[in-house]
């Protein structure tokens, strides 16, 4: 019985291992560099976590992405491809992420942490992806990700996600019946990718009413007023100054000002 159980466990372990290898093979995309493969796998892993279909590599998108990454590396900065809508052909929906950083993992995580970049990662409209990576002489990685739903293909049906539904994000998408194609969707540029948006200037608001002074402060002010008035009377009067009265006022002021622990409040 024990021997039969061991054989069963070994067979089950082999089946699980072969399944895992098959899943890894399905993630691999021929023709990509190791860094590009890392970004490609990162996108599909994020989509799998949301219950969204995986993307496939499109060679023409890889070419567009690599060309733009090379231009960014040459200039030492990142920016979106201004000609994306014309560089990419046969698109119904197109989007782009660009990033720069020391490692594939750090940039991929920055994309996931940025809402606008992550929206491209898990958008159910996309079916194809192109990744282009260029590493400059300082070892910095420049990456461009180009997402596409081909104009000749219907929009895919997303798998039901294992999470509560969220409100759909606004996006300018076209359909096959639209008179003109929409502008490509791109995420906001960031050195470590972080989406940014203009902040509206707040409307002027009425000044909040000032809070009344605390009882202790009111009493301090009263004692200071008493001292001031007593000093004025001493300066303008011919009657000798009553030093004991001044001392009593000063002692009263210190009693109010000092806190329970002896420090000023």
């Amino acid at each position: 019985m024990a021997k039969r159980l061991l054989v069963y466990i070994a067979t089950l372990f082999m089946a699980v291992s072969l399944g895992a290898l098959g899943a890894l093979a399905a993630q691999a995309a021929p023709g990509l560099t190791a860094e590009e493969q890392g970004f490609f796998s990162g996108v599909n892993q994020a989509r799998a976590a949301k219950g969204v279909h995986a993307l496939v590599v499109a060679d023409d998108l890889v070419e567009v992405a690599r060309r733009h990454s090379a231009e960014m590396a040459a200039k030492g900065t990142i920016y979106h491809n201004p000609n994306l809508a014309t560089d990419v052909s046969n698109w119904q929906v197109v989007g782009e992420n660009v990033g720069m950083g020391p490692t594939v993992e750090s940039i991929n995580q920055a994309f996931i942490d940025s809402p606008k970049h992550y929206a491209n990662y898990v958008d159910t409209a996309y079916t194809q992806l192109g990744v282009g990576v260029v590493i400059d002489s300082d070892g910095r990685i420049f990456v461009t990700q180009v997402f596409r739903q081909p104009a000749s293909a219907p929009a895919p049906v997303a798998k039901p996600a294992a999470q509560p539904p969220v409100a759909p994000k606004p996006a300018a998408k076209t359909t096959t019946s639209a008179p003109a194609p929409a502008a490509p969707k791109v995420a906001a540029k960031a050195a470590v990718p972080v989406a940014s948006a203009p902040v509206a200037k707040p409307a002027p608001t009425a000044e909040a009413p000032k809070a009344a002074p605390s009882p202790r402060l009111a009493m301090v002010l009263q004692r200071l007023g008493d001292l001031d008035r007593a000093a004025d009377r001493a300066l303008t009067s011919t009657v000798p100054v009553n030093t004991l009265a001044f001392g009593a006022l000063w002692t009263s002021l210190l009693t109010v000002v000092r806190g329970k622990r002896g420090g000023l409040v």
Side-chain angles (χ1 to χ4, degrees):
M1 179 65 179
K3 184 176 182 181
R4 184 179 302 172
L5 181 60
L6 289 175
V7 172
Y8 174 76
I9 292 174
T11 303
L12 179 61
F13 176 77
M14 183 177 295
V16 172
S17 300
L18 290 176
L21 290 175
L24 291 175
Q27 288 289 325
L32 298 182
T33 66
E35 293 78 13
E36 291 167 347
Q37 177 65 51
F39 284 110
F40 175 75
S41 298
V43 171
N44 275 339
Q45 288 168 7
R47 293 174 72 87
K50 290 283 288 183
V52 182
H53 60 273
L55 302 181
V56 297
V57 171
D59 292 339
D60 62 322
L61 298 183
V62 173
E63 181 180 350
V64 171
R66 286 174 175 171
R67 185 166 60 245
H68 185 61
S69 291
E71 293 172 356
M72 292 193 299
K75 295 180 180 180
T77 186
I78 59 174
Y79 56 92
H80 283 292
N81 181 358
N83 302 315
L84 182 65
T86 54
D87 286 350
V88 177
S89 60
N90 187 37
W91 61 270
Q92 181 173 338
V93 183
V94 65
E96 179 187 65
N97 284 346
V98 297
M100 174 184 69
T103 65
V104 172
E105 293 76 14
S106 63
I107 302 173
N108 183 66
Q109 189 60 50
F111 281 147
I112 291 174
D113 293 339
S114 167
K116 290 189 176 181
H117 295 85
Y118 180 69
N120 277 338
Y121 265 44
V122 298
D123 195 319
T124 59
Y126 297 132
T127 59
Q128 298 176 339
L129 174 64
V131 181
V133 169
V134 172
I135 303 175
D136 69 2
S137 57
D138 295 327
R140 293 181 300 178
I141 295 175
F142 291 80
V143 59
T144 303
Q145 299 172 324
V146 181
F147 303 81
R148 178 174 65 188
Q149 177 191 336
S152 57
V157 179
K159 298 178 182 178
Q163 297 183 2
V166 296
K169 63 180 181 61
K173 298 182 182 179
T174 63
T175 63
T176 53
S177 59
K185 300 186 301 179
V186 294
K189 177 187 75 174
V192 173
V194 176
S196 60
V199 178
K201 185 177 181 181
T205 57
E207 183 178 358
K210 297 181 179 179
S214 66
R216 178 177 291 179
L217 177 59
M219 192 172 294
V220 168
L221 295 175
Q222 181 180 348
R223 296 293 186 275
L224 287 175
D226 292 342
L227 282 173
D228 186 54
R229 286 189 292 273
D232 287 342
R233 287 196 299 271
L235 292 174
T236 58
S237 176
T238 58
V239 178
V241 177
N242 188 343
T243 57
L244 291 178
F246 271 105
L249 286 173
W250 181 249
T251 301
S252 175
L253 175 62
L254 290 179
T255 300
V256 174
V257 171
R258 285 176 176 167
K260 296 180 180 179
R261 297 181 182 178
L264 295 179
V265 296

